Amino acid sequence: MTATEPVGAAPAAETATAADAPQPAPGATPPRAPLVARAAAELVGTAALVAVVVGSGIQATELTDDVALQLLANSTATVFGLGVLIALLGPVSGAHFNPAVTLAEWWTARRGGAGVTARELAVYVPSQIAGAIAGAILADAMFGEPLVKWSQHDRSAGNLLLGEVVATAGLILLIFGLARTDRLRFAPVAVASYIGAAYWFTSSTSFANPAVTIGRAFTDTFAGIAPASVPAFVVAQLAGAVVGLALVAVIFMRGKTGSGQSAA
């Protein structure tokens, strides 16, 4: 401010400048969180998810011998827990909690869509796996189980692997279908509801997640999976992700404008 300027002129000018500055469009994507924050969100979110799955399974088996009630309790807790975690951490990292989802997003990004980069992929996936293992150990600790005891629950049957292909394909179709139709705001309810339903309509009870599968091998409880069954489950889940992306490409195919360009 110079000596000849009226008192208060500078603040008024600053206000006018601020008002004239470009403002973000309504609904615009907010600035991305630092990668370390996103990695932490993926680690904590995946750990919490596995703790919910394993912990509710242990609780259910302690309360009843009815396997149907055990699965009902396990699936109900997972639905609520997953919905809360997506709502809480989605704005930070996208709330993948799942290497299959992260790989699918990386694939769409490298083909011109929005998604994670190769560097982010290399950070997300180890964070998810570490979180899944930590979550299983945490659940065991809360219920007085051995912190690490390899599961004896064999899940190697071919029909279970088919169930994993179906469960993962449906999950990828749902997530990326919501993204294609600009309805990701419904993800907390939609994804949690799908997983809850898939607990019951798939033969494998819908792991649909390589990191969660690895984590669940560390606990010899209701939700566990024998380490020998893990590789085939992961392969089936990755195959399901490919099928899911193919379905997204066909079902949500972008139309062409008069100039031959893809419609937005």
Side-chain angles (χ1 to χ4, degrees):
M1 180 188 300
T2 65
T4 57
E5 286 180 294
V7 175
E14 291 171 1
T15 301
T17 301
D20 293 338
Q23 300 296 316
T29 302
R32 302 190 77 182
L35 183 55
V36 65
R38 285 180 277 146
E42 287 297 302
L43 189 151
V44 171
T46 311
L49 174 59
V50 174
V52 168
V53 172
V54 174
S56 62
I58 297 172
Q59 184 80 285
T61 56
E62 291 182 350
L63 294 174
T64 179
D65 293 327
D66 188 321
V67 178
L69 287 178
Q70 291 171 357
L71 186 60
L72 178 62
N74 194 211
S75 60
T76 301
T78 301
V79 167
F80 288 127
L82 181 57
V84 168
L85 289 170
I86 294 173
L88 175 65
L89 299 175
V92 180
S93 67
H96 296 186
F97 313 146
N98 187 335
V101 173
T102 303
L103 282 164
E105 189 172 293
W106 167 76
W107 179 259
T108 59
R110 68 185 291 274
R111 294 175 64 84
V116 297
T117 65
R119 175 170 174 262
E120 291 166 335
L121 172 71
V123 173
Y124 268 46
V125 173
S127 299
Q128 293 158 352
I129 295 173
I133 295 171
I137 294 172
L138 175 61
D140 282 340
M142 287 192 293
F143 286 91
E145 300 286 339
L147 296 186
V148 175
K149 185 177 181 182
W150 299 117
S151 175
Q152 303 301 309
H153 194 160
D154 178 73
R155 299 179 189 263
S156 59
N159 63 299
L160 301 183
L161 299 180
L162 176 60
E164 280 302 287
V165 173
V166 171
T168 311
L171 178 63
I172 296 299
L173 174 61
L174 171 62
I175 293 172
F176 288 84
L178 290 175
R180 283 284 182 95
T181 55
D182 194 27
R183 293 185 294 173
L184 274 175
R185 61 189 179 278
F186 299 120
V189 172
V191 173
S193 298
Y194 172 78
I195 292 298
Y199 256 86
W200 291 90
F201 80 76
T202 64
S203 55
S204 61
T205 64
S206 183
F207 284 47
N209 185 328
V212 168
T213 303
I214 293 170
R216 288 168 67 165
F218 283 73
T219 177
D220 190 22
T221 58
F222 178 80
I225 177 173
S229 301
V230 169
F233 254 55
V234 171
V235 170
Q237 290 156 359
L238 295 178
V242 173
V243 172
L245 284 178
L247 290 173
V248 171
V250 172
I251 296 172
F252 299 98
M253 188 181 300
R254 301 186 189 280
K256 298 290 185 180
T257 64
S259 60
Q261 299 296 318
S262 295

